[in-house]
Amino acid sequence: MRISVTIFLTDETITPAHLARELEQRGFHGLYLPEHTHIPVERTTPYPAGGDLPPEYGRTLDPFVALAQGAAVTRRLALGTGITLVAQHDPIDLAKRIATLDHLSGGRFTLGVGYGWNVEEAADHGVAWRTRRDLVRDRMALMRALWSAEPTGYTGQFGSVRASFAHPKPVRKPRGPVVGPRTLVGGAAGPGLFAHIAEFADGWLPIGGRGLAEALPALRSVWADAGRDPAALEVVPYAVRPTPGKLAHYAELGIEEVVVQLPPAGGTEVLRALDDYAALLPGGTGQG
């Protein structure tokens, strides 16, 4: 099983370049970073995990800039977002940023797609909360047009783009309906989410990984009904607090990659956590 990590990198934590080098040296598979542009002080949206919102949410580095720094100092480390708030971006600009990072990293980028939870943050970007999922779907379709091999136009409910010359292209070749980098969709299990995964993604990025045994049959059914290759579906539990038993359970479900959570801390604490997690790598030596 491949072990990747996620962390809230901020202006107070270990730097992206330092962390990326340490991950590659220890044999970890990848680094995924979250995204929040800002956290409005006047916020009524509750923190999904309960309690007070941790301060790192308002200090998060831009994931694309941070991942580019990590890409520059590594050769094998996979790089991803967990997740990109697609509704909060101009899709033409985002398509260029994604394709550039994927190109410069040699195809190592995974686009984690999310719908968001913070109503006030989204509102400042002009996002109408009720239609945000439709907006994300529309923007993904527009980006797929720009990533297509030939100039392709798109007209949707929320935006459009003319047939255009748009390079670089993402490294991966189209997979059925999916055009672009490896794409995983985050969110809670349900028919709407699963339909979007089957429509424009390579798989699911479930936070915490709870309830997978119950949810996977439904996802696989939707995936098959959409004509997708059953063997191609990827499910990557995200922000997991790992134990050997939990990882064994995931392996029994056919999971091939897990993203474990690191503390939003300085180098000493983060590297200590990496050393602990290294025992979970193949061979248990940190050199998987």
Side-chain angles (χ1 to χ4, degrees):
M1 180 178 291
R2 303 188 301 273
I3 306 295
S4 299
V5 307
T6 185
I7 180 175
F8 277 87
L9 288 180
T10 77
D11 55 328
E12 298 178 327
T13 66
I14 189 172
T15 66
H18 186 186
L19 176 59
R21 283 193 295 261
E22 295 288 346
L23 288 169
E24 186 161 271
Q25 290 170 6
R26 285 167 165 79
F28 286 90
H29 176 70
L31 169 63
Y32 292 73
L33 298 180
E35 175 183 47
H36 282 285
T37 53
H38 67 300
I39 300 295
V41 174
E42 296 181 2
R43 180 176 59 85
T44 60
T45 309
Y47 176 41
D52 294 333
L53 184 69
E56 59 266 21
Y57 276 75
R59 308 189 74 101
T60 307
L61 300 183
D62 178 279
F64 292 96
V65 175
L67 289 169
Q69 190 182 80
V73 298
T74 57
R75 293 293 176 265
R76 301 179 307 278
L77 188 71
L79 308 155
T81 53
I83 47 67
T84 296
L85 295 165
V86 172
Q88 298 180 184
H89 289 270
D90 175 285
I92 299 173
D93 178 70
L94 182 60
K96 173 68 77 172
R97 192 179 310 171
I98 289 169
T100 299
L101 179 55
D102 194 53
H103 168 73
L104 292 177
S105 67
R108 289 187 277 156
F109 181 68
T110 291
L111 173 62
V113 175
Y115 303 102
W117 62 267
N118 190 321
V119 176
E120 291 78 19
E121 177 185 0
D124 283 349
H125 286 277
V127 176
W129 194 249
R130 182 179 58 82
T131 59
R132 76 192 188 284
R133 291 176 181 270
D134 292 333
L135 176 60
V136 168
R137 178 175 177 265
D138 192 70
R139 288 186 170 172
M140 290 300 300
L142 190 154
M143 291 195 294
R144 290 198 302 276
L146 289 169
W147 292 331
S148 296
E150 299 298 328
T152 302
Y154 175 78
T155 299
Q157 179 182 358
F158 298 95
S160 64
V161 67
R162 297 173 176 85
S164 304
F165 299 109
H167 292 268
K169 302 295 185 184
V171 173
R172 290 197 180 199
K173 302 301 181 184
R175 291 87 64 201
V178 184
V179 178
R182 180 183 186 232
T183 302
L184 304 173
V185 182
L193 178 80
F194 291 167
H196 284 182
I197 291 171
E199 178 184 353
F200 61 75
D202 296 295
W204 185 24
L205 198 67
I207 295 178
R210 290 185 179 179
L212 282 181
E214 295 76 21
L216 282 178
L219 173 57
R220 287 169 176 154
S221 177
V222 173
W223 184 267
D225 289 346
R228 304 291 302 274
D229 178 4
L233 176 62
E234 298 187 56
V235 177
V236 181
Y238 186 81
V240 170
R241 307 289 182 177
T243 65
K246 188 179 293 184
L247 297 183
H249 172 63
Y250 293 153
E252 291 174 357
L253 295 175
I255 303 298
E256 297 182 351
E257 180 184 1
V258 173
V259 182
V260 302
Q261 183 72 59
L262 288 173
T268 300
E269 185 176 347
V270 168
L271 297 184
R272 186 182 304 119
L274 283 183
D275 289 339
D276 291 340
Y277 287 160
L280 301 172
L281 293 170
T285 64
Q287 303 298 319

